[in-house]
Amino acid sequence: MDEGRIVIVGTGLAGYNTARELRRLEAGRRLPLAIVTRDDGRFYSKPDLSVALARGKAPDELALAGPEEMAAQLEAEILTRTTVARIDRERRAIELEDGRGIAYGRLVLALGADPIRLPLAGDAAGEVLSVNDLAGYARFRERLDGHERVAILGAGLIGCEFANDLAAAGHAVTVVDPAPWPLARFLPEPAGRRLERELAGLGVTWRFGVTAERVDRVDGALALRLSDGSAVTADVALSAVGLRPRTALAAAAGLEVRRGIVVDRLLRTSDPAIHALGDCAEVEGLVLPFVMPLVQEARALARTLAGEPTPVRFPAMPVAVKTPAHPVVVAPPPEGAEGAWEVAEDDAGVRALYRGPTGRLLGFALTGAHVKERPALARELPPVLP
Amino acid sequence: MSTSETPFRRWQCIVCGFVYDEAEGLPEEGIPPGTRWEDIPEDWACPDCGVAKADFEMVEITET
């Protein structure tokens, strides 16, 4: 099978890191490489978006390199503002919206994910923004400029990071979430309550146990009506209620798709000539929209593309929540793992350890100064995917 | 090679923004304060996101 050209679709961290790791490998140096993206192709790091205000960074300053520089650095052809309409698996080519076709020896889908949009009534529902890339962040900052009140839907990782960044920059922030405390999926109550208190100290208002139902324009502002009948007034509304892997392109081509594009340990989809990684992929049932798994995947996939099939392995991968007012690091126990939390709290923060029936450490949640204990505790954790 | 007089530097992960400060080191990872960037092993990875040393950039200089 002629290995031929490698075509990567997507220039987020997954796409560009795969290309960068490939070029770092001796065997990966000379392989012909084309990268296609709907965006402008600028190289930036999505985690930077939720800490940019504190660093005094304008959106454009978050771009680390433009597409021309990346094309030169990666010795790749980069097609920006280009949307893939279809994958033609028989002809091994992708068809672009403008009708052109690009042949591939191996295709890498690094499509990312779409922010989940909750059904909202009201004449201003369309004004609720979501941020999942640099362009989306630039729109948000433009809308934010000169305004003070921000309503955030979702007290998950992104919601909390944005709440901290905005509040620290002087904005009046209200966060709405049906869960009882922040990061409820990751944190036992004491840790969640501590983060709640610490961010409240920064001026964040929390509205738990409720969801937003309507958003209307009233007197030039956004009036959100919540499920308990109460209201929140804001100038800007941001939705951060989770991501949905982008699987449509793969599904239309008949590839196996569940929550994400299904891939094996070699990150191969159900078509061995097509790989997928990052937020759009589901590796052995795991959809891990975080940077650390993505970096592991990019490194393994680069070796596989360079001719040395390398299964991806996930060590324990604690997630750092960038809330400087009270930092948090979590290593969630595996889904449905038997065990219980052991929680200790002091002035420095909360240390919560999740131990299995035999006392084995299966997960942890550290807040405040206790985040320093991460390396030692992480070493005790079982790998996510050995 | 930086000598002991040169001011301590700070290095930032371009992927997730983690900052390594030579003055502080990473004691909990066995990297004592004052450890220069060059003296950190090549296979060291960013504690927050796992990328290699090559994905770090020097940020502004901290005063000693």
Side-chain angles (χ1 to χ4, degrees):
Chain A
M1 181 183 72
D2 150 34
E3 289 313 334
R5 173 182 13 215
I6 294 170
V7 175
I8 297 176
V9 183
T11 51
L13 278 176
Y16 270 145
N17 270 353
T18 300
R20 293 165 73 227
E21 292 287 340
L22 182 66
R23 288 313 196 212
R24 281 185 183 142
L25 296 171
E26 197 47 48
R29 284 261 158 72
R30 302 272 70 75
L31 294 169
L33 174 61
I35 306 176
V36 177
T37 179
R38 284 191 306 199
D39 305 337
D40 56 28
R42 288 185 295 176
F43 177 55
Y44 72 99
S45 177
K46 198 162 66 169
D48 283 353
L49 301 182
S50 46
V51 288
L53 279 172
R55 289 204 207 128
K57 287 269 176 87
D60 286 341
E61 292 172 296
L62 297 174
L64 299 160
E68 307 75 19
E69 193 183 337
M70 294 305 287
Q73 211 183 78
L74 298 171
E75 292 174 65
E77 196 194 340
I78 299 182
L79 288 84
T80 60
R81 302 257 176 260
T82 303
T83 300
V84 177
R86 233 175 112 262
I87 303 171
D88 183 333
R89 287 168 54 191
E90 288 68 36
R91 282 180 40 239
R92 282 200 181 200
I94 50 173
E95 277 172 32
L96 307 183
E97 265 184 355
D98 59 18
R100 284 179 297 161
I102 298 180
Y104 63 80
R106 266 97 33 100
L107 178 64
V108 176
L109 301 177
L111 307 171
D114 287 314
I116 291 172
R117 298 291 296 190
L118 295 177
L120 282 171
D123 58 36
E127 294 188 55
V128 177
L129 300 171
S130 47
V131 171
N132 190 40
D133 54 34
L134 186 53
Y137 182 67
R139 277 194 302 277
F140 169 69
R141 285 282 296 273
E142 214 177 283
R143 178 70 64 81
L144 185 67
D145 196 20
H147 289 294
E148 198 208 342
R149 298 164 301 180
V150 182
I152 297 177
L153 308 183
L157 187 143
I158 297 303
C160 290
E161 288 191 350
F162 267 94
N164 193 137
D165 204 38
L166 289 159
H171 290 282
V173 178
T174 301
V175 184
V176 176
D177 196 299
W181 57 76
L183 291 167
R185 238 165 24 106
F186 294 134
L187 300 181
E189 176 156 15
R193 292 290 179 216
R194 182 59 176 268
L195 180 61
E196 176 186 350
R197 281 200 306 279
E198 298 282 348
L199 285 182
L202 208 56
V204 173
T205 304
W206 300 93
R207 299 297 313 279
F208 290 118
V210 285
T211 57
E213 290 182 338
R214 295 184 60 85
V215 184
D216 295 286
R217 266 277 160 209
V218 174
D219 310 332
L222 295 176
L224 287 86
R225 218 219 16 249
L226 308 186
S227 47
D228 63 355
S230 66
V232 171
T233 304
D235 303 302
V236 182
L238 178 67
S239 170
V241 296
L243 293 174
R244 177 173 301 114
R246 286 186 182 127
T247 59
L249 196 62
L255 299 175
E256 189 188 353
V257 163
R258 282 201 294 265
R259 271 190 323 140
I261 302 171
V262 174
V263 292
D264 62 16
R265 296 287 290 264
L266 293 171
L267 300 170
R268 288 179 309 199
T269 66
S270 45
D271 179 328
I274 303 176
H275 295 268
L277 82 156
D279 292 4
C280 71
E282 177 174 321
V283 186
E284 300 209 355
L286 297 167
V287 175
L288 299 166
F290 304 109
V291 172
M292 199 178 266
L294 178 152
V295 167
Q296 303 286 340
E297 290 168 7
R299 208 168 281 154
L301 180 55
R303 304 184 80 84
T304 298
L305 293 171
E308 186 198 336
T310 306
V312 68
R313 251 181 279 285
F314 294 139
M317 298 181 293
V319 177
V321 181
K322 297 189 295 301
T323 44
H326 194 68
V328 171
V329 172
V330 291
E335 208 79 40
E338 225 192 298
W341 285 104
E342 282 169 27
V343 181
E345 179 162 6
D346 56 25
D347 297 344
V350 172
R351 176 205 300 114
L353 306 179
Y354 192 87
R355 292 196 183 282
T358 63
R360 176 98 201 270
L361 186 67
L362 298 177
F364 57 72
L366 305 169
T367 83
H370 290 292
V371 297
K372 286 250 184 286
E373 296 162 38
R374 179 189 47 197
L377 288 171
R379 274 190 287 275
E380 277 184 63
L381 287 177
V384 171
L385 206 58
Chain B
M1 258 312 285
S2 53
T3 61
S4 59
E5 297 79 31
T6 44
F8 286 120
R9 299 164 301 176
R10 300 172 77 227
W11 299 78
Q12 183 164 41
C13 172
I14 66 167
V15 171
C16 79
F18 173 82
V19 173
Y20 173 75
D21 188 327
E22 290 179 340
E24 291 166 13
L26 281 172
E28 61 282 359
E29 281 196 29
I31 300 177
T35 303
R36 294 293 174 176
W37 183 249
E38 295 78 10
D39 304 332
I40 294 181
E42 276 319 302
D43 61 3
W44 178 80
C46 170
D48 275 4
C49 80
V51 296
K53 266 183 83 173
D55 285 324
F56 276 69
E57 273 175 353
M58 196 171 76
V59 187
E60 81 287 0
I61 312 266
T62 52
E63 317 71 40
T64 49

